[in-house]
Amino acid sequence: MTSRPSHVPAAPPRVLLVDPYVAREDPMERKFVELYPSLGLLTLGAYLRDHATDVAMVDLTFERDARPVDRAIRSYRPHVVGVHTKTLTAARAFEIARSVRGAGAFSVAGGPDSATRPEAYLEAGFDAVVPAEGEAALVEVARRIRDGVPVAHVPGVIVRHAGRLVRGPSRPFLANLDDLPLPAWDLVDMEGYLSRWEKETGERRAAVLTSRGCPFDCSWCSKPTFGRTFRQQSPERVVEELIELQRRYRVDYVRFCDDVFGVSRPWIEHLLDLMIEKDLGLAFECLARVDLLKPDLLGRMREAGLARVYVGVESGSQKMLDAMNRGTKLAQVERTAQALRDAGVRQFWFLMLGYPGETIDDIEETLRLFRRFSPEEYSVSIAVPVPGTRFYDKVKGSLRGRSASTSRAGGKTLLFEAAYGQRLYRWEQARFGLEAALGKARSRFQPQVVEKIGRAADRFHEEVATPLLARKRSGPPTVRSP
Ligand code: B12
Ligand code: SF4
């Protein structure tokens, strides 16, 4: 390594950020996944710039493969290549790590999947993993790599040394999220995302985060990066970001991407007041918990632009909600669904089948709830045991075939030995589909005809499908992969 005279300031480190998600490879993309650039990476990029680091980014979302990363490595010659990781994109991330190594740069993985299983990423060729909040850790890694200083024992960084994982001490989370710069939207093709939205919906939609973490503890939820910690930006800072998105990109619809929106009542009231006072003219959507989204708040949320709410209903059986440690009551689900319907807000329900302990009767209760409220949109998935969750620990002795951590199950494949076989869950998914279609048909066709079809389908379910598909497994589940 060439030495530099002490009076010559070092050139800024160069960091190439990579989002390895390729939309066309995602089996869920066409149906459920909405495309937004990764807010984690955009915030990292902005923070690095604020800390004397040069940044470029390759976003593979609209690409076919990882070739743009190779081109960028050749032309930009980064000191560090930082890759965002999700389970779905692990294979691509590993491929990128090999290219980075070939080019003699330093590769760092961050984000949910590498946080859950850092050893897999280090074994696959990554030089380091940042398993939690990335901003301050990545700045330090980039400086050290530029200066030729090792990164072992750096707070918040894991490396492999002599075949062993070396974990630096944990790094405290950023104290105040208001100190974060606005996301570096210019690093990605914002117009590509926005025009796609505009074509599909007539709206220019962007994603915004107002908080990090979630204080709740649902047993199937993976929260590797921020755990149960919870921090939020001030409502003023949120409004500043909304105004910038409008000013720079003519955004007119925002998805609040927080794990849960509106955890604190005074906070959300203040934000709504500001949005109404500034008369932003934005529509928005968010993900809410039924215990937090109180009907008396809905009027003001509507006034501020609320258009759609994602509701984590999960099950129509209180027994199952308790088993999932969801912390919600069926009465709250019913109250919220009714209030949203009365207020004319679109509802998107998340439902889950197959969670341990669920019987045919529990599924029936979920279907009845669904029938009662006919949400405009929904997703009903077969429970996916994500590594690092209590649910995963519960079923890890009975995973089926390929490991849950690498599968592209997309909520349609049964990944563990559940109470019933996969065919039963697929059949139940189809019943929800039929129920949704009947719900829509009720307003268009003669109700008697629709009811008749519904009754015939129920009879078929009870007399043919259930006896055929719902044979309970007997004895202990087969252990296939530990
Ligand atoms: C909002 C959200 C979405 C939104 C928008 C995401 C976006 N474009 O920003 C939508 C709906 C589009 C979405 C889609 C999907 N999502 Co999503 N999503 C989330 C959610 C709720 C928040 C993500 C977020 O922005 N967090 C806040 C930012 C600041 O945190 P962050 O991204 O983790 O980044 C920080 C650190 O992780 C770290 N870091 C991240 N990357 C890197 C890279 C480097 C080099 C370094 C050093 C550090 C670092 O530093 C960042 C800043 O501190 C999370 C749950 C969660 N809390 O993580 C799920 C989550 C990330 N999603 C998940 C999944 C599975 C998906 C999909 C694959 C779903 C599907 N297809 O079936 C798609 C993939 C789409 C894609 N583009 O990748 C899973 C991932 C699980 C896993 N182990 O892979 C999560 C964890 C939800 C869960 N509990 O299961 N998602
Ligand atoms: S599912 Fe939602 S509410 Fe439950 S722990 Fe995860 S993020 Fe929090």
Side-chain angles (χ1 to χ4, degrees):
M1 187 159 301
T2 49
S3 61
R4 157 176 59 86
S6 58
H7 60 277
V8 179
R14 289 182 302 280
V15 176
L16 178 68
L17 297 173
V18 179
D19 189 341
Y21 176 77
V22 176
R24 68 182 69 218
E25 289 180 347
D26 183 349
M28 300 283 275
E29 196 269 321
R30 246 159 230 106
K31 206 153 174 221
F32 297 122
V33 179
E34 308 199 321
L35 295 184
Y36 297 104
S38 156
L39 284 166
L41 287 180
L42 296 189
T43 309
L44 280 172
Y47 187 91
L48 288 167
R49 279 178 176 164
D50 265 15
H51 290 75
T53 307
D54 266 0
V55 187
M57 180 161 158
V58 176
D59 175 7
L60 293 181
T61 301
F62 300 123
E63 305 289 346
R64 290 185 170 274
D65 51 38
R67 269 179 292 185
V69 180
D70 296 332
R71 286 199 291 275
I73 294 173
R74 280 198 300 276
S75 60
Y76 184 60
R77 290 188 299 108
H79 295 96
V80 172
V81 178
V83 182
H84 179 71
T85 66
K86 289 199 177 77
T87 310
L88 183 72
T89 56
R92 181 122 281 151
F94 297 165
E95 178 193 338
I96 293 168
R98 288 191 292 273
S99 303
V100 177
R101 180 150 292 182
F106 188 89
S107 58
V108 187
D113 196 39
S114 54
T116 312
R117 43 184 192 133
E119 60 292 341
Y121 280 78
L122 295 169
E123 268 164 34
F126 275 93
D127 295 305
V129 169
V130 170
E133 192 163 64
E135 281 83 359
L138 190 53
V139 166
E140 187 167 348
V141 168
R143 285 186 187 155
R144 283 179 175 244
I145 297 303
R146 176 202 55 191
D147 297 338
V149 178
V151 299
H153 308 295
V154 167
V157 178
I158 307 177
V159 294
R160 219 164 113 101
H161 185 66
R164 287 190 320 116
L165 289 202
V166 180
R167 273 176 195 269
S170 58
R171 185 179 281 271
F173 288 126
L174 298 171
N176 183 356
L177 292 188
D178 278 7
D179 293 342
L180 283 173
L182 291 172
W185 297 296
D186 60 290
L187 288 174
V188 290
D189 176 14
M190 276 297 274
E191 198 46 47
Y193 284 96
L194 291 166
S195 53
R196 192 182 139 113
W197 275 116
E198 203 166 8
K199 213 165 114 202
E200 274 175 24
T201 66
E203 286 140 353
R204 292 170 66 82
R205 298 190 180 193
V208 170
L209 266 168
T210 72
S211 62
R212 284 187 176 183
C214 163
F216 297 96
D217 192 21
C218 308
S219 45
W220 38 261
C221 178
S222 135
K223 300 194 293 180
T225 345
F226 300 119
R228 282 184 74 185
T229 61
F230 181 69
R231 291 159 294 159
Q232 52 193 348
Q233 291 182 321
S234 67
E236 286 78 6
R237 168 64 176 71
V238 177
V239 168
E240 181 197 342
E241 189 161 328
L242 298 179
I243 292 174
E244 269 318 286
L245 279 168
Q246 280 187 309
R247 193 181 68 78
R248 290 197 217 168
Y249 299 104
R250 295 185 292 114
V251 165
D252 52 16
Y253 190 108
V254 161
R255 173 169 180 161
F256 286 113
C257 277
D258 309 73
D259 287 351
V260 186
F261 187 66
V263 167
S264 145
R265 174 83 188 216
W267 181 93
I268 190 162
E269 286 190 0
H270 188 35
L271 177 69
L272 294 174
D273 285 348
L274 285 178
M275 287 173 76
I276 294 166
E277 184 190 308
K278 302 262 178 211
D279 196 12
L280 295 180
L282 276 174
F284 74 90
E285 61 183 31
C286 58
L287 193 147
R289 279 177 60 99
V290 292
D291 48 345
L292 298 175
L293 187 69
K294 300 274 162 53
D296 67 329
L297 204 60
L298 269 180
R300 242 182 317 157
M301 288 179 89
R302 274 302 261 167
E303 206 185 328
L306 179 65
R308 170 160 81 161
V309 174
Y310 292 88
V311 198
V313 173
E314 311 306 347
S315 175
S317 151
Q318 186 63 51
K319 180 191 98 191
M320 292 317 300
L321 292 177
D322 295 343
M324 295 168 181
N325 199 31
R326 190 70 190 139
T328 52
K329 297 277 173 236
L330 263 184
Q332 293 168 327
V333 174
E334 291 164 352
R335 184 194 66 191
T336 306
Q338 190 58 48
L340 286 168
R341 189 196 263 182
D342 294 345
V345 178
R346 279 183 88 76
Q347 344 190 2
F348 184 123
W349 283 19
F350 289 110
L351 298 166
M352 188 187 284
L353 300 178
Y355 192 82
E358 187 184 57
T359 62
I360 280 282
D361 291 342
D362 297 314
I363 299 178
E364 223 43 45
E365 283 186 49
T366 307
L367 193 80
R368 273 199 295 275
L369 185 77
F370 186 78
R371 187 173 285 166
R372 233 174 98 196
F373 291 101
S374 289
E376 286 82 0
E377 294 163 272
Y378 72 100
S379 126
V380 54
S381 53
I382 304 178
V384 175
V386 178
T389 61
R390 284 201 302 285
F391 170 29
Y392 182 85
D393 290 343
K394 207 180 207 149
V395 301
K396 71 177 173 207
S398 65
L399 293 179
R400 285 153 56 101
R402 63 204 165 148
S403 133
S405 62
T406 53
S407 112
R408 286 162 184 261
K412 280 191 177 284
T413 309
L414 182 62
L415 295 166
F416 61 102
E417 300 290 349
Y420 309 100
Q422 176 173 289
R423 283 193 303 161
L424 182 273
Y425 296 112
R426 288 274 180 94
W427 165 251
E428 293 289 0
Q429 285 179 316
R431 287 182 75 210
F432 279 86
L434 175 69
E435 199 49 55
L438 292 177
K440 288 201 178 95
R442 267 183 204 108
S443 54
R444 280 192 235 139
F445 303 103
Q446 279 204 333
Q448 299 95 306
V449 179
V450 177
E451 294 321 319
K452 219 168 153 185
I453 300 173
R455 275 199 301 277
D458 280 348
R459 242 193 343 269
F460 180 79
H461 172 69
E462 276 156 33
E463 290 167 16
V464 183
T466 308
L468 200 71
L469 302 173
R471 258 177 250 124
K472 276 212 166 226
R473 291 178 189 286
S474 54
T478 342
V479 178
R480 293 200 196 150
S481 66

